Amino acid sequence: GESVGLHLPTLSVQEGDNSIINCAYSNSASDYFIWYKQESGKGPQFIIDIRSNMDKRQGQRVTVLLNKTVKHLSLQIAATQPGDSAVYFCAERDQNSGGSNYKLTFGKGTLLTVNP
Amino acid sequence: NAGVTQTPKFQVLKTGQSMTLQCAQDMNHEYMSWYRQDPGMGLRLIHYSVGAGITDQGEVPNGYNVSRSTTEDFPLRLLSAAPSQTSVYFCASSYGTAGANVLTFGAGSRLTVL
């Protein structure tokens, strides 16, 4: 797999369990947040996003929660499957960037391992 | 529709050599960018382009050049490779530069500089 998996926080779960991946951010000016999934040997893939005027957003088997008070973002994966094994990144955008995507700041990622 | 295509997937260079990492997208995206990914560092922006003929520097531009002569292509050039440039490089694109326009990433190019 990619060497990016080294030195990362890791989360190991059993197939069928729910997974919660956390992300802390420090920029109070961030107004938009994205979760990406990166499988071994592949590029990051968009999972779900949320704007700062929302607390929760749901997708298919995934939910993102945003707590602006403590600057915390979480990704919940329901009924985790072996195919969910990957590195998960959060990214934030500074509202002072004028909405431009090139001002995204990526977190270091969390390695999720799903045991069958 | 191939998405974002990067070549080569793997490359080994000697210090001082030059090379170009190719990136092409067939989605008519305005915005293209290059990131590098290093262990424990997350993705860091090298250069980006908001349209043909327009490029700008990101967070870590030193040692890299880019050009955007067409909407589809955004090559990244290393003029004189250094061991510090050993990394995995990702090209990404999006339809626009504002709002919730999600980045689409290529599969990556792993570069080793000896």
Side-chain angles (χ1 to χ4, degrees), chain B residues 1 5 9 11 16-17 38 58-59 87-88 91 94-95 97 106 108 111-112 114:
Chain B
N1 194 342
T5 302
K9 289 189 179 298
Q11 182 72 50
Q17 287 185 317
D38 302 293
E59 179 184 356
S87 187
V88 181
C91 180
S94 68
Y95 182 71
T97 61
L111 175 65
T112 301
L114 304 176

Side-chain angles (χ1 to χ4, degrees), chain A residues 79-115:
Chain A
T80 313
Q81 303 168 1
D84 295 326
S85 293
V87 175
Y88 290 81
F89 295 94
C90 63
E92 59 184 292
R93 184 183 68 197
D94 188 327
Q95 65 179 344
N96 297 318
S97 67
S100 297
N101 284 325
Y102 51 82
K103 294 299 186 182
L104 288 176
T105 300
F106 286 84
K108 295 177 175 53
T110 296
L111 176 61
L112 174 66
T113 301
V114 181
N115 302 310

Side-chain angles (χ1 to χ4, degrees), chain A residues 36-93:
Chain A
Y36 282 91
K37 171 187 180 183
Q38 186 176 23
E39 297 174 88
S40 180
K42 297 183 179 180
Q45 179 182 11
F46 171 82
I47 302 174
I48 192 168
D49 59 358
I50 187 169
R51 295 184 183 274
S52 60
N53 61 354
M54 302 172 68
D55 297 323
K56 179 180 179 179
R57 191 170 188 212
Q58 288 185 295
Q60 186 177 13
R61 278 202 310 121
V62 295
T63 300
V64 55
L65 298 177
L66 175 62
N67 186 330
K68 295 180 288 294
T69 302
V70 296
K71 298 188 183 65
H72 184 267
L73 193 68
S74 68
L75 177 70
Q76 300 178 359
I77 304 174
T80 313
Q81 303 168 1
D84 295 326
S85 293
V87 175
Y88 290 81
F89 295 94
C90 63
E92 59 184 292
R93 184 183 68 197

